[in-house]
Every structure is written in C-alpha cells, then in structure tokens.
Amino acid sequence: MRVAVRPPALRHWFSHSIPLAIFALLLLYLSVRSLGARSGCGSRAQPCVPGGTAPFQVRQESGTLEAPERKRPPCLGPRGMLGRMMRRFHASLKPEGDVGLSPYLAGWRALVEFLTPLGSVFAFATREAFTKVTDLEARVHGPDAEHYWSLAAMAAWERRAGLLEQPGAAPRDLTRSSGSRTLLLLHRALRWSQLCLHRVATGALGGPDAGVQCSDAYRAALGPHHPWLVRQTARLAFLAFPGRRRLLELACPGATEAEARAALVRAAGTLEDVYNRTQSLLAERGLLQLA
Ligand SMILES: *[C@@H]1O[C@H](CO)[C@@H](O)[C@H](O)[C@H]1NC(C)=O
C-alpha cells in the first residue's frame, strides 16, 4: 500500500512561500494605493519621483533653527536611527576577528527599525529578518547562552553538538533551524540592505532609479536563494519603490541631500565591514552552504 506523502521540500514551499507572497502582495497593494494617494501619482505610467529640478525638501522637525554649517546630520547623532544602527554593528566587530552576536542582533533591530518605514519592499524583507533576529536572541539569552556569545563560538558548538544541517538540505523542522543557518539567512539580507543603501546614496541624478538599483541588488544577493514565487513577488514589490529623494529624506530627516547621501554612504560602509567579517567567518567554517 502506498501512502502519498508530499515531499518535505514541497511542503516547505507551500507552508512558507505562499503566505509570504500573499502578504507581500497585500503590502504592495496597500503601498501602491497610499503612494498614489500621497503624491498624486499613479502606480502606472507616471513615475512617483519628482522631477529633477525640485529642491530637496529640508524638514524642520522641531521648529528650532539649527546652524546651517552642521558637521553631522541628526540621523548620525546619538538619537539618530542610522547612527544608532552603525554604533551597534560596529560594536559587534570584535578586535580578535570574531562577530559578537548580541551587538550584531541589536544592530539588526536598529536596521529593521530604520528600513521598515521606507516602504513595502523593505517591510517584505525586514519582516522575515525580524523573526530570525528574535530567534537568535532567544538563543543568546537561552539555556545554551554560553555558546551563543559570538559567531565562532556558536558555529563551533553547533558543530560539536551535531546541530548543523546537511549542506543544501532544508532543516526538517523550519522552526528548529540551527543558529548558524539562521545567521546565514540574516547575513544575505544584510548584503542586500548594504548594496541597496549604498546605491541609493551614490546614484546619479538621471541614472537608474533607486528601485531599479535595489531590485538589481536583490537579484544579486537574495534572488538566487529564493523560490520562484517569492522572486516574482519581490519583483512586483520593487515597482512601488519610493524615489531616491524620498528615501534620502526618510533616512536622514532634516538634512540636506548631500548630508543624507554622505550619511547613508557611511552607514552602508559599516554594513559592508560587518558583512565582510561575517562572510569570512562563515566561509572559513564551510557554513555558506547551510541554506
Ligand atoms: C569587503 O570585501 C570586498 C571583497 O573582498 C572588498 O573589495 C571590500 O573593499 C571590502 N570592504 C570593506 C569595507 O572592507
């Protein structure tokens, strides 16, 4: 007698990708509607980026006048979102070459907080990231906390304890993926964030749109690891990507365009430092194939 059992990969695909895709489509729909409503431009035909001649909007958040010759825009200051993210990620780079998990995850929390208001594509990516951050935090503070203070310590312990997945195979139970595998997935998302922010910061006026640049970054960093349906959903979501000016304004409120670009370049640089360090640690341990 034969019992029809759906293969695990297919079951995984169904249980994971379809709700995700539906959620993302919903977000896309809502954001296209709200973008259209806010800026008076539709989702088709007319780009939502204001024409190249409009002056960059300088927002006065508090009403207090600030000196025009500031050295550092508020977004990089002690209360600024970008500054907070950079300090945390920076603290994760241990002098001995390791990556501290607690500050790395704190950096990720700040990155999620920073990206979420930027648009539905980011919400799409960060929602996934957030559950992974929470999952790893539970380990950092869990019963095995002594093994989860750094990337190297975690990888060594999970290998010793036989917790690592076979390369290329999805874990039997998705909620019990190893910490190393969860970190690898976050690591790829960090790459996308880094490439996207850097390109938004450095893109020339009249060059490709921020949405095109970040969509290319998605294809390079995440696309090869996502199933077809998720890739198509992401492709659609990038159509609702905010324009460069809007992104810069949201990223660094109250700053000039030049200040906002410079701040984002620095933030992307910090992400690149962390990405490079993590990449070497994962590669040295043969962990890049875990997922
Ligand atoms: C990261 O690594 C790449 C490739 O090895 C290198 O080109 C780049 O300069 C590094 N970035 C930083 C910030 O160290």
PDB file of all heavy atoms in Angstrom, residues 64-103:
ATOM      1  N   THR A  64      12.978  74.280  15.891  1.00  0.00           N
ATOM      2  CA  THR A  64      14.140  75.051  16.308  1.00  0.00           C
ATOM      3  C   THR A  64      15.087  75.188  15.114  1.00  0.00           C
ATOM      4  O   THR A  64      15.309  74.242  14.378  1.00  0.00           O
ATOM      5  CB  THR A  64      14.895  74.345  17.449  1.00  0.00           C
ATOM      6  OG1 THR A  64      15.253  73.042  16.994  1.00  0.00           O
ATOM      7  CG2 THR A  64      14.033  74.237  18.696  1.00  0.00           C
ATOM      8  N   LEU A  65      15.614  76.365  14.960  1.00  0.00           N
ATOM      9  CA  LEU A  65      16.528  76.593  13.839  1.00  0.00           C
ATOM     10  C   LEU A  65      17.914  76.079  14.194  1.00  0.00           C
ATOM     11  O   LEU A  65      18.426  76.332  15.272  1.00  0.00           O
ATOM     12  CB  LEU A  65      16.598  78.088  13.515  1.00  0.00           C
ATOM     13  CG  LEU A  65      15.431  78.605  12.689  1.00  0.00           C
ATOM     14  CD1 LEU A  65      15.503  80.115  12.555  1.00  0.00           C
ATOM     15  CD2 LEU A  65      15.441  77.974  11.306  1.00  0.00           C
ATOM     16  N   GLU A  66      18.484  75.347  13.253  1.00  0.00           N
ATOM     17  CA  GLU A  66      19.816  74.831  13.517  1.00  0.00           C
ATOM     18  C   GLU A  66      20.807  75.536  12.617  1.00  0.00           C
ATOM     19  O   GLU A  66      20.451  76.009  11.535  1.00  0.00           O
ATOM     20  CB  GLU A  66      19.850  73.321  13.268  1.00  0.00           C
ATOM     21  CG  GLU A  66      19.188  72.558  14.381  1.00  0.00           C
ATOM     22  CD  GLU A  66      18.844  71.135  13.961  1.00  0.00           C
ATOM     23  OE1 GLU A  66      18.230  70.960  12.904  1.00  0.00           O
ATOM     24  OE2 GLU A  66      19.217  70.226  14.689  1.00  0.00           O
ATOM     25  N   ALA A  67      22.045  75.576  13.072  1.00  0.00           N
ATOM     26  CA  ALA A  67      23.078  76.254  12.278  1.00  0.00           C
ATOM     27  C   ALA A  67      23.194  75.558  10.927  1.00  0.00           C
ATOM     28  O   ALA A  67      23.179  74.336  10.862  1.00  0.00           O
ATOM     29  CB  ALA A  67      24.407  76.211  13.008  1.00  0.00           C
ATOM     30  N   PRO A  68      23.303  76.314   9.842  1.00  0.00           N
ATOM     31  CA  PRO A  68      23.361  75.684   8.509  1.00  0.00           C
ATOM     32  C   PRO A  68      24.645  74.888   8.301  1.00  0.00           C
ATOM     33  O   PRO A  68      24.657  73.958   7.520  1.00  0.00           O
ATOM     34  CB  PRO A  68      23.286  76.876   7.547  1.00  0.00           C
ATOM     35  CG  PRO A  68      23.647  78.081   8.355  1.00  0.00           C
ATOM     36  CD  PRO A  68      23.324  77.771   9.781  1.00  0.00           C
ATOM     37  N   GLU A  69      25.731  75.225   9.013  1.00  0.00           N
ATOM     38  CA  GLU A  69      27.004  74.566   8.767  1.00  0.00           C
ATOM     39  C   GLU A  69      27.244  73.422   9.756  1.00  0.00           C
ATOM     40  O   GLU A  69      28.296  73.352  10.377  1.00  0.00           O
ATOM     41  CB  GLU A  69      28.147  75.586   8.867  1.00  0.00           C
ATOM     42  CG  GLU A  69      28.072  76.716   7.846  1.00  0.00           C
ATOM     43  CD  GLU A  69      28.338  76.232   6.421  1.00  0.00           C
ATOM     44  OE1 GLU A  69      29.436  75.734   6.160  1.00  0.00           O
ATOM     45  OE2 GLU A  69      27.419  76.328   5.600  1.00  0.00           O
ATOM     46  N   ARG A  70      26.251  72.567   9.938  1.00  0.00           N
ATOM     47  CA  ARG A  70      26.430  71.438  10.859  1.00  0.00           C
ATOM     48  C   ARG A  70      27.472  70.489  10.310  1.00  0.00           C
ATOM     49  O   ARG A  70      27.555  70.276   9.112  1.00  0.00           O
ATOM     50  CB  ARG A  70      25.121  70.661  10.985  1.00  0.00           C
ATOM     51  CG  ARG A  70      24.115  71.273  11.875  1.00  0.00           C
ATOM     52  CD  ARG A  70      23.024  70.239  12.094  1.00  0.00           C
ATOM     53  NE  ARG A  70      22.543  69.693  10.819  1.00  0.00           N
ATOM     54  CZ  ARG A  70      21.467  70.124  10.199  1.00  0.00           C
ATOM     55  NH1 ARG A  70      20.761  71.086  10.731  1.00  0.00           N
ATOM     56  NH2 ARG A  70      21.089  69.593   9.050  1.00  0.00           N
ATOM     57  N   LYS A  71      28.206  69.853  11.211  1.00  0.00           N
ATOM     58  CA  LYS A  71      29.166  68.848  10.780  1.00  0.00           C
ATOM     59  C   LYS A  71      28.469  67.520  10.558  1.00  0.00           C
ATOM     60  O   LYS A  71      28.718  66.824   9.604  1.00  0.00           O
ATOM     61  CB  LYS A  71      30.239  68.672  11.859  1.00  0.00           C
ATOM     62  CG  LYS A  71      31.525  69.421  11.552  1.00  0.00           C
ATOM     63  CD  LYS A  71      32.686  68.743  12.283  1.00  0.00           C
ATOM     64  CE  LYS A  71      33.992  68.879  11.542  1.00  0.00           C
ATOM     65  NZ  LYS A  71      34.460  70.266  11.503  1.00  0.00           N
ATOM     66  N   ARG A  72      27.571  67.183  11.476  1.00  0.00           N
ATOM     67  CA  ARG A  72      26.979  65.858  11.451  1.00  0.00           C
ATOM     68  C   ARG A  72      25.464  65.979  11.458  1.00  0.00           C
ATOM     69  O   ARG A  72      24.901  66.617  12.344  1.00  0.00           O
ATOM     70  CB  ARG A  72      27.445  65.111  12.711  1.00  0.00           C
ATOM     71  CG  ARG A  72      27.066  63.666  12.717  1.00  0.00           C
ATOM     72  CD  ARG A  72      27.775  62.957  13.827  1.00  0.00           C
ATOM     73  NE  ARG A  72      27.228  63.331  15.145  1.00  0.00           N
ATOM     74  CZ  ARG A  72      27.546  62.692  16.261  1.00  0.00           C
ATOM     75  NH1 ARG A  72      28.381  61.693  16.235  1.00  0.00           N
ATOM     76  NH2 ARG A  72      27.013  63.063  17.409  1.00  0.00           N
ATOM     77  N   PRO A  73      24.790  65.381  10.492  1.00  0.00           N
ATOM     78  CA  PRO A  73      23.328  65.480  10.486  1.00  0.00           C
ATOM     79  C   PRO A  73      22.741  64.688  11.656  1.00  0.00           C
ATOM     80  O   PRO A  73      23.377  63.756  12.149  1.00  0.00           O
ATOM     81  CB  PRO A  73      22.938  64.865   9.148  1.00  0.00           C
ATOM     82  CG  PRO A  73      24.068  63.981   8.789  1.00  0.00           C
ATOM     83  CD  PRO A  73      25.301  64.584   9.389  1.00  0.00           C
ATOM     84  N   PRO A  74      21.542  65.069  12.109  1.00  0.00           N
ATOM     85  CA  PRO A  74      20.940  64.412  13.272  1.00  0.00           C
ATOM     86  C   PRO A  74      20.802  62.892  13.124  1.00  0.00           C
ATOM     87  O   PRO A  74      20.869  62.168  14.115  1.00  0.00           O
ATOM     88  CB  PRO A  74      19.550  65.056  13.379  1.00  0.00           C
ATOM     89  CG  PRO A  74      19.615  66.280  12.552  1.00  0.00           C
ATOM     90  CD  PRO A  74      20.701  66.121  11.547  1.00  0.00           C
ATOM     91  N   CYS A  75      20.635  62.406  11.894  1.00  0.00           N
ATOM     92  CA  CYS A  75      20.434  60.962  11.743  1.00  0.00           C
ATOM     93  C   CYS A  75      21.664  60.161  12.169  1.00  0.00           C
ATOM     94  O   CYS A  75      21.562  58.976  12.473  1.00  0.00           O
ATOM     95  CB  CYS A  75      20.047  60.609  10.309  1.00  0.00           C
ATOM     96  SG  CYS A  75      21.286  61.031   9.086  1.00  0.00           S
ATOM     97  N   LEU A  76      22.839  60.809  12.208  1.00  0.00           N
ATOM     98  CA  LEU A  76      24.049  60.109  12.655  1.00  0.00           C
ATOM     99  C   LEU A  76      24.344  60.377  14.126  1.00  0.00           C
ATOM    100  O   LEU A  76      25.254  59.780  14.705  1.00  0.00           O
ATOM    101  CB  LEU A  76      25.262  60.532  11.822  1.00  0.00           C
ATOM    102  CG  LEU A  76      25.284  60.081  10.368  1.00  0.00           C
ATOM    103  CD1 LEU A  76      26.560  60.549   9.689  1.00  0.00           C
ATOM    104  CD2 LEU A  76      25.173  58.567  10.276  1.00  0.00           C
ATOM    105  N   GLY A  77      23.600  61.277  14.727  1.00  0.00           N
ATOM    106  CA  GLY A  77      23.837  61.652  16.120  1.00  0.00           C
ATOM    107  C   GLY A  77      23.337  60.597  17.087  1.00  0.00           C
ATOM    108  O   GLY A  77      22.863  59.537  16.685  1.00  0.00           O
ATOM    109  N   PRO A  78      23.433  60.898  18.382  1.00  0.00           N
ATOM    110  CA  PRO A  78      23.080  59.918  19.417  1.00  0.00           C
ATOM    111  C   PRO A  78      21.630  59.443  19.324  1.00  0.00           C
ATOM    112  O   PRO A  78      21.319  58.302  19.644  1.00  0.00           O
ATOM    113  CB  PRO A  78      23.304  60.672  20.728  1.00  0.00           C
ATOM    114  CG  PRO A  78      23.908  61.984  20.402  1.00  0.00           C
ATOM    115  CD  PRO A  78      23.898  62.181  18.930  1.00  0.00           C
ATOM    116  N   ARG A  79      20.744  60.319  18.864  1.00  0.00           N
ATOM    117  CA  ARG A  79      19.337  59.931  18.788  1.00  0.00           C
ATOM    118  C   ARG A  79      18.959  59.462  17.397  1.00  0.00           C
ATOM    119  O   ARG A  79      17.837  59.012  17.170  1.00  0.00           O
ATOM    120  CB  ARG A  79      18.444  61.120  19.171  1.00  0.00           C
ATOM    121  CG  ARG A  79      18.848  61.787  20.495  1.00  0.00           C
ATOM    122  CD  ARG A  79      17.940  61.381  21.632  1.00  0.00           C
ATOM    123  NE  ARG A  79      16.552  61.747  21.383  1.00  0.00           N
ATOM    124  CZ  ARG A  79      16.060  62.971  21.612  1.00  0.00           C
ATOM    125  NH1 ARG A  79      16.832  63.932  22.055  1.00  0.00           N
ATOM    126  NH2 ARG A  79      14.787  63.210  21.400  1.00  0.00           N
ATOM    127  N   GLY A  80      19.847  59.603  16.466  1.00  0.00           N
ATOM    128  CA  GLY A  80      19.538  59.281  15.064  1.00  0.00           C
ATOM    129  C   GLY A  80      19.509  57.777  14.825  1.00  0.00           C
ATOM    130  O   GLY A  80      20.296  57.025  15.380  1.00  0.00           O
ATOM    131  N   MET A  81      18.599  57.373  13.963  1.00  0.00           N
ATOM    132  CA  MET A  81      18.405  55.957  13.673  1.00  0.00           C
ATOM    133  C   MET A  81      19.643  55.338  13.013  1.00  0.00           C
ATOM    134  O   MET A  81      20.081  54.258  13.390  1.00  0.00           O
ATOM    135  CB  MET A  81      17.227  55.860  12.710  1.00  0.00           C
ATOM    136  CG  MET A  81      16.596  54.541  12.664  1.00  0.00           C
ATOM    137  SD  MET A  81      15.410  54.461  13.982  1.00  0.00           S
ATOM    138  CE  MET A  81      13.920  54.777  13.062  1.00  0.00           C
ATOM    139  N   LEU A  82      20.195  56.037  12.036  1.00  0.00           N
ATOM    140  CA  LEU A  82      21.365  55.490  11.329  1.00  0.00           C
ATOM    141  C   LEU A  82      22.566  55.390  12.257  1.00  0.00           C
ATOM    142  O   LEU A  82      23.286  54.390  12.258  1.00  0.00           O
ATOM    143  CB  LEU A  82      21.746  56.405  10.158  1.00  0.00           C
ATOM    144  CG  LEU A  82      21.061  56.190   8.828  1.00  0.00           C
ATOM    145  CD1 LEU A  82      21.669  57.122   7.789  1.00  0.00           C
ATOM    146  CD2 LEU A  82      21.192  54.750   8.375  1.00  0.00           C
ATOM    147  N   GLY A  83      22.757  56.449  13.068  1.00  0.00           N
ATOM    148  CA  GLY A  83      23.882  56.455  13.992  1.00  0.00           C
ATOM    149  C   GLY A  83      23.784  55.305  14.976  1.00  0.00           C
ATOM    150  O   GLY A  83      24.765  54.601  15.250  1.00  0.00           O
ATOM    151  N   ARG A  84      22.594  55.079  15.479  1.00  0.00           N
ATOM    152  CA  ARG A  84      22.378  54.005  16.445  1.00  0.00           C
ATOM    153  C   ARG A  84      22.711  52.650  15.818  1.00  0.00           C
ATOM    154  O   ARG A  84      23.406  51.820  16.392  1.00  0.00           O
ATOM    155  CB  ARG A  84      20.912  54.027  16.893  1.00  0.00           C
ATOM    156  CG  ARG A  84      20.569  53.127  18.015  1.00  0.00           C
ATOM    157  CD  ARG A  84      19.559  53.761  18.962  1.00  0.00           C
ATOM    158  NE  ARG A  84      18.561  54.564  18.251  1.00  0.00           N
ATOM    159  CZ  ARG A  84      17.291  54.191  18.075  1.00  0.00           C
ATOM    160  NH1 ARG A  84      16.884  53.043  18.515  1.00  0.00           N
ATOM    161  NH2 ARG A  84      16.447  54.975  17.450  1.00  0.00           N
ATOM    162  N   MET A  85      22.227  52.467  14.602  1.00  0.00           N
ATOM    163  CA  MET A  85      22.496  51.206  13.911  1.00  0.00           C
ATOM    164  C   MET A  85      24.005  51.009  13.718  1.00  0.00           C
ATOM    165  O   MET A  85      24.539  49.926  13.963  1.00  0.00           O
ATOM    166  CB  MET A  85      21.791  51.217  12.568  1.00  0.00           C
ATOM    167  CG  MET A  85      22.054  49.986  11.757  1.00  0.00           C
ATOM    168  SD  MET A  85      21.543  50.212  10.063  1.00  0.00           S
ATOM    169  CE  MET A  85      22.952  50.988   9.345  1.00  0.00           C
ATOM    170  N   MET A  86      24.686  52.069  13.275  1.00  0.00           N
ATOM    171  CA  MET A  86      26.120  51.947  12.997  1.00  0.00           C
ATOM    172  C   MET A  86      26.904  51.637  14.263  1.00  0.00           C
ATOM    173  O   MET A  86      27.815  50.802  14.256  1.00  0.00           O
ATOM    174  CB  MET A  86      26.634  53.239  12.359  1.00  0.00           C
ATOM    175  CG  MET A  86      26.191  53.397  10.926  1.00  0.00           C
ATOM    176  SD  MET A  86      26.338  55.091  10.345  1.00  0.00           S
ATOM    177  CE  MET A  86      28.107  55.287  10.320  1.00  0.00           C
ATOM    178  N   ARG A  87      26.569  52.286  15.368  1.00  0.00           N
ATOM    179  CA  ARG A  87      27.321  52.041  16.613  1.00  0.00           C
ATOM    180  C   ARG A  87      27.149  50.595  17.070  1.00  0.00           C
ATOM    181  O   ARG A  87      28.091  49.959  17.524  1.00  0.00           O
ATOM    182  CB  ARG A  87      26.869  53.019  17.703  1.00  0.00           C
ATOM    183  CG  ARG A  87      27.500  54.397  17.556  1.00  0.00           C
ATOM    184  CD  ARG A  87      27.180  55.294  18.734  1.00  0.00           C
ATOM    185  NE  ARG A  87      25.756  55.543  18.867  1.00  0.00           N
ATOM    186  CZ  ARG A  87      25.084  56.448  18.163  1.00  0.00           C
ATOM    187  NH1 ARG A  87      25.708  57.192  17.274  1.00  0.00           N
ATOM    188  NH2 ARG A  87      23.783  56.617  18.323  1.00  0.00           N
ATOM    189  N   ARG A  88      25.929  50.080  16.947  1.00  0.00           N
ATOM    190  CA  ARG A  88      25.705  48.701  17.394  1.00  0.00           C
ATOM    191  C   ARG A  88      26.451  47.706  16.520  1.00  0.00           C
ATOM    192  O   ARG A  88      27.112  46.803  17.023  1.00  0.00           O
ATOM    193  CB  ARG A  88      24.216  48.380  17.366  1.00  0.00           C
ATOM    194  CG  ARG A  88      23.460  49.132  18.448  1.00  0.00           C
ATOM    195  CD  ARG A  88      21.988  48.906  18.277  1.00  0.00           C
ATOM    196  NE  ARG A  88      21.208  49.599  19.280  1.00  0.00           N
ATOM    197  CZ  ARG A  88      19.888  49.503  19.363  1.00  0.00           C
ATOM    198  NH1 ARG A  88      19.226  48.740  18.527  1.00  0.00           N
ATOM    199  NH2 ARG A  88      19.234  50.160  20.284  1.00  0.00           N
ATOM    200  N   PHE A  89      26.332  47.866  15.218  1.00  0.00           N
ATOM    201  CA  PHE A  89      27.032  46.930  14.319  1.00  0.00           C
ATOM    202  C   PHE A  89      28.538  47.039  14.524  1.00  0.00           C
ATOM    203  O   PHE A  89      29.248  46.037  14.504  1.00  0.00           O
ATOM    204  CB  PHE A  89      26.679  47.207  12.860  1.00  0.00           C
ATOM    205  CG  PHE A  89      25.469  46.446  12.389  1.00  0.00           C
ATOM    206  CD1 PHE A  89      24.389  47.090  11.822  1.00  0.00           C
ATOM    207  CD2 PHE A  89      25.416  45.060  12.526  1.00  0.00           C
ATOM    208  CE1 PHE A  89      23.276  46.386  11.387  1.00  0.00           C
ATOM    209  CE2 PHE A  89      24.304  44.343  12.088  1.00  0.00           C
ATOM    210  CZ  PHE A  89      23.236  45.016  11.522  1.00  0.00           C
ATOM    211  N   HIS A  90      28.997  48.253  14.719  1.00  0.00           N
ATOM    212  CA  HIS A  90      30.423  48.447  14.920  1.00  0.00           C
ATOM    213  C   HIS A  90      30.883  47.687  16.159  1.00  0.00           C
ATOM    214  O   HIS A  90      31.948  47.069  16.168  1.00  0.00           O
ATOM    215  CB  HIS A  90      30.721  49.936  15.040  1.00  0.00           C
ATOM    216  CG  HIS A  90      32.105  50.256  14.591  1.00  0.00           C
ATOM    217  ND1 HIS A  90      33.135  50.427  15.473  1.00  0.00           N
ATOM    218  CD2 HIS A  90      32.623  50.376  13.348  1.00  0.00           C
ATOM    219  CE1 HIS A  90      34.236  50.653  14.786  1.00  0.00           C
ATOM    220  NE2 HIS A  90      33.958  50.623  13.497  1.00  0.00           N
ATOM    221  N   ALA A  91      30.059  47.731  17.201  1.00  0.00           N
ATOM    222  CA  ALA A  91      30.420  47.048  18.451  1.00  0.00           C
ATOM    223  C   ALA A  91      30.457  45.531  18.279  1.00  0.00           C
ATOM    224  O   ALA A  91      31.033  44.820  19.098  1.00  0.00           O
ATOM    225  CB  ALA A  91      29.422  47.423  19.544  1.00  0.00           C
ATOM    226  N   SER A  92      29.841  45.013  17.209  1.00  0.00           N
ATOM    227  CA  SER A  92      29.843  43.559  17.018  1.00  0.00           C
ATOM    228  C   SER A  92      31.176  43.072  16.452  1.00  0.00           C
ATOM    229  O   SER A  92      31.481  41.884  16.502  1.00  0.00           O
ATOM    230  CB  SER A  92      28.707  43.136  16.086  1.00  0.00           C
ATOM    231  OG  SER A  92      29.014  43.449  14.746  1.00  0.00           O
ATOM    232  N   LEU A  93      31.979  43.991  15.902  1.00  0.00           N
ATOM    233  CA  LEU A  93      33.267  43.598  15.310  1.00  0.00           C
ATOM    234  C   LEU A  93      34.308  43.473  16.420  1.00  0.00           C
ATOM    235  O   LEU A  93      34.892  44.460  16.856  1.00  0.00           O
ATOM    236  CB  LEU A  93      33.715  44.640  14.274  1.00  0.00           C
ATOM    237  CG  LEU A  93      32.764  44.832  13.091  1.00  0.00           C
ATOM    238  CD1 LEU A  93      33.159  46.028  12.251  1.00  0.00           C
ATOM    239  CD2 LEU A  93      32.720  43.559  12.233  1.00  0.00           C
ATOM    240  N   LYS A  94      34.514  42.259  16.875  1.00  0.00           N
ATOM    241  CA  LYS A  94      35.445  42.028  17.992  1.00  0.00           C
ATOM    242  C   LYS A  94      36.880  42.218  17.508  1.00  0.00           C
ATOM    243  O   LYS A  94      37.207  41.821  16.376  1.00  0.00           O
ATOM    244  CB  LYS A  94      35.287  40.593  18.515  1.00  0.00           C
ATOM    245  CG  LYS A  94      33.898  40.269  19.037  1.00  0.00           C
ATOM    246  CD  LYS A  94      33.744  40.839  20.416  1.00  0.00           C
ATOM    247  CE  LYS A  94      32.330  40.675  20.936  1.00  0.00           C
ATOM    248  NZ  LYS A  94      31.979  41.759  21.873  1.00  0.00           N
ATOM    249  N   PRO A  95      37.741  42.773  18.386  1.00  0.00           N
ATOM    250  CA  PRO A  95      39.130  43.011  17.980  1.00  0.00           C
ATOM    251  C   PRO A  95      39.825  41.729  17.513  1.00  0.00           C
ATOM    252  O   PRO A  95      40.683  41.767  16.634  1.00  0.00           O
ATOM    253  CB  PRO A  95      39.798  43.558  19.245  1.00  0.00           C
ATOM    254  CG  PRO A  95      38.734  43.844  20.227  1.00  0.00           C
ATOM    255  CD  PRO A  95      37.466  43.201  19.769  1.00  0.00           C
ATOM    256  N   GLU A  96      39.457  40.590  18.079  1.00  0.00           N
ATOM    257  CA  GLU A  96      40.154  39.350  17.713  1.00  0.00           C
ATOM    258  C   GLU A  96      39.612  38.741  16.417  1.00  0.00           C
ATOM    259  O   GLU A  96      40.009  37.634  16.036  1.00  0.00           O
ATOM    260  CB  GLU A  96      40.090  38.342  18.875  1.00  0.00           C
ATOM    261  CG  GLU A  96      38.716  37.718  19.133  1.00  0.00           C
ATOM    262  CD  GLU A  96      37.810  38.574  20.026  1.00  0.00           C
ATOM    263  OE1 GLU A  96      38.099  39.785  20.226  1.00  0.00           O
ATOM    264  OE2 GLU A  96      36.797  38.037  20.516  1.00  0.00           O
ATOM    265  N   GLY A  97      38.687  39.433  15.747  1.00  0.00           N
ATOM    266  CA  GLY A  97      38.255  38.962  14.434  1.00  0.00           C
ATOM    267  C   GLY A  97      36.916  38.234  14.437  1.00  0.00           C
ATOM    268  O   GLY A  97      36.433  37.809  13.393  1.00  0.00           O
ATOM    269  N   ASP A  98      36.314  38.105  15.590  1.00  0.00           N
ATOM    270  CA  ASP A  98      35.030  37.419  15.703  1.00  0.00           C
ATOM    271  C   ASP A  98      33.887  38.441  15.532  1.00  0.00           C
ATOM    272  O   ASP A  98      34.131  39.633  15.384  1.00  0.00           O
ATOM    273  CB  ASP A  98      34.961  36.759  17.090  1.00  0.00           C
ATOM    274  CG  ASP A  98      34.021  35.546  17.115  1.00  0.00           C
ATOM    275  OD1 ASP A  98      33.268  35.368  16.153  1.00  0.00           O
ATOM    276  OD2 ASP A  98      34.053  34.817  18.113  1.00  0.00           O
ATOM    277  N   VAL A  99      32.652  37.949  15.502  1.00  0.00           N
ATOM    278  CA  VAL A  99      31.481  38.837  15.490  1.00  0.00           C
ATOM    279  C   VAL A  99      30.651  38.533  16.736  1.00  0.00           C
ATOM    280  O   VAL A  99      30.233  37.380  16.932  1.00  0.00           O
ATOM    281  CB  VAL A  99      30.633  38.615  14.219  1.00  0.00           C
ATOM    282  CG1 VAL A  99      29.298  39.337  14.319  1.00  0.00           C
ATOM    283  CG2 VAL A  99      31.376  39.107  12.988  1.00  0.00           C
ATOM    284  N   GLY A 100      30.461  39.540  17.577  1.00  0.00           N
ATOM    285  CA  GLY A 100      29.650  39.369  18.792  1.00  0.00           C
ATOM    286  C   GLY A 100      28.177  39.307  18.422  1.00  0.00           C
ATOM    287  O   GLY A 100      27.669  40.174  17.721  1.00  0.00           O
ATOM    288  N   LEU A 101      27.498  38.257  18.872  1.00  0.00           N
ATOM    289  CA  LEU A 101      26.105  38.078  18.436  1.00  0.00           C
ATOM    290  C   LEU A 101      25.160  39.111  19.042  1.00  0.00           C
ATOM    291  O   LEU A 101      24.261  39.606  18.357  1.00  0.00           O
ATOM    292  CB  LEU A 101      25.619  36.664  18.776  1.00  0.00           C
ATOM    293  CG  LEU A 101      26.157  35.549  17.878  1.00  0.00           C
ATOM    294  CD1 LEU A 101      25.488  34.236  18.227  1.00  0.00           C
ATOM    295  CD2 LEU A 101      25.929  35.889  16.402  1.00  0.00           C
ATOM    296  N   SER A 102      25.356  39.435  20.305  1.00  0.00           N
ATOM    297  CA  SER A 102      24.415  40.345  20.946  1.00  0.00           C
ATOM    298  C   SER A 102      24.407  41.727  20.259  1.00  0.00           C
ATOM    299  O   SER A 102      23.334  42.205  19.864  1.00  0.00           O
ATOM    300  CB  SER A 102      24.753  40.434  22.436  1.00  0.00           C
ATOM    301  OG  SER A 102      23.694  40.984  23.117  1.00  0.00           O
ATOM    302  N   PRO A 103      25.564  42.367  20.072  1.00  0.00           N
ATOM    303  CA  PRO A 103      25.539  43.650  19.348  1.00  0.00           C
ATOM    304  C   PRO A 103      25.131  43.503  17.877  1.00  0.00           C
ATOM    305  O   PRO A 103      24.491  44.401  17.318  1.00  0.00           O
ATOM    306  CB  PRO A 103      26.972  44.184  19.463  1.00  0.00           C
ATOM    307  CG  PRO A 103      27.802  43.066  19.975  1.00  0.00           C
ATOM    308  CD  PRO A 103      26.902  42.077  20.623  1.00  0.00           C
TER     309      PRO A 103
END
